[in-house]
Amino acid sequence: MGQELTGTIKALLDEYKKAVNELIIVIKPLNSKEILTIRDDKTTNENCRSIQTILTHVVYAGYGYTNFIDNHLGNKSQRRLKKFFETANEYTGELNGMFEDCENFFIAHPNIELEEYDPAKKILTHWGQVYDIDQIMEHAIVHVLKHRRQIQRFLSPQD
């Protein structure tokens, strides 16, 4: 696996993996019909209509966060395209792959500077927020948690 990660990077990756695993536990028992069913036909956010669109968004965004950081370092990596799947097993594989991509990035860059106080040296996202690497990883973790909660709410009986 290469150099062992320690400190803040290890803590961020541990929490990211924990969030991904919690999401996988929620989706693992779902069949294709449950994944594909439109749960919110009134939303204007195409990423939040069904469990399928949410999971596709989570995976796409997860790869995107690593891509933001890589490009911030001066590389010209291309963002992975959105891919839609129909089964929990496919999404489990995608979520694990998304995490492994991030983990491998940090293994390749174990001494990366996580905190940046100069706004001019932060990462400007396409949605307008500005982050340092530590903040973008915290955002990545909470992003998974928010969408896990959203899926759980979709699956719970409505009052």
Side-chain angles (χ1 to χ4, degrees):
M1 184 164 159
Q3 186 168 345
E4 187 64 30
L5 295 172
T6 59
T8 303
I9 291 173
K10 179 72 170 130
L12 288 166
L13 289 172
D14 285 351
E15 291 304 314
Y16 198 21
K17 182 63 174 164
K18 180 180 173 193
V20 167
N21 286 342
E22 289 172 358
L23 176 56
I24 289 170
I25 288 168
V26 170
I27 67 167
K28 202 78 158 143
L30 302 179
N31 62 41
S32 292
K33 182 177 184 289
E34 291 169 307
I35 289 171
L36 298 173
T37 298
I38 300 297
R39 307 289 178 148
D40 186 348
D41 60 359
K42 293 176 179 51
T43 184
T44 58
N45 186 342
E46 291 297 318
N47 294 321
C48 295
R49 297 178 63 76
S50 67
I51 294 171
Q52 179 192 43
T53 60
I54 293 168
L55 292 172
T56 296
H57 167 69
V58 168
V59 170
Y60 178 71
Y63 278 106
Y65 301 134
T66 304
N67 184 258
F68 279 138
I69 299 167
D70 193 35
N71 286 333
H72 181 69
L73 295 180
N75 299 314
K76 299 291 182 211
S77 58
Q78 293 295 311
R79 187 163 185 177
R80 184 176 183 265
L81 298 175
K82 275 189 179 184
K83 297 180 184 177
F84 290 86
F85 300 94
E86 297 185 5
T87 70
N89 280 341
E90 288 171 309
Y91 277 111
T92 296
E94 290 295 304
L95 289 162
N96 283 324
M98 171 199 80
F99 172 79
E100 288 169 13
D101 180 66
C102 181
E103 181 179 47
N104 288 335
F105 173 84
F106 282 107
I107 289 169
H109 302 89
N111 299 314
I112 194 168
E113 190 63 45
L114 297 176
E115 294 180 338
E116 178 56 63
Y117 298 100
D118 180 352
K121 294 180 181 176
K122 291 192 178 207
I123 301 167
L124 174 62
T125 64
H126 63 82
W127 63 92
Q129 291 287 357
V130 179
Y131 297 113
D132 62 21
I133 295 169
D134 187 57
Q135 291 167 321
I136 207 160
M137 287 307 302
E138 290 169 353
H139 176 85
I141 294 162
V142 174
H143 187 252
V144 174
L145 295 173
K146 288 192 298 189
H147 286 299
R148 181 212 11 100
R149 180 181 179 275
Q150 182 183 26
I151 290 170
Q152 286 175 311
R153 290 178 58 87
F154 276 172
L155 295 170
S156 68
Q158 303 301 310
D159 307 79

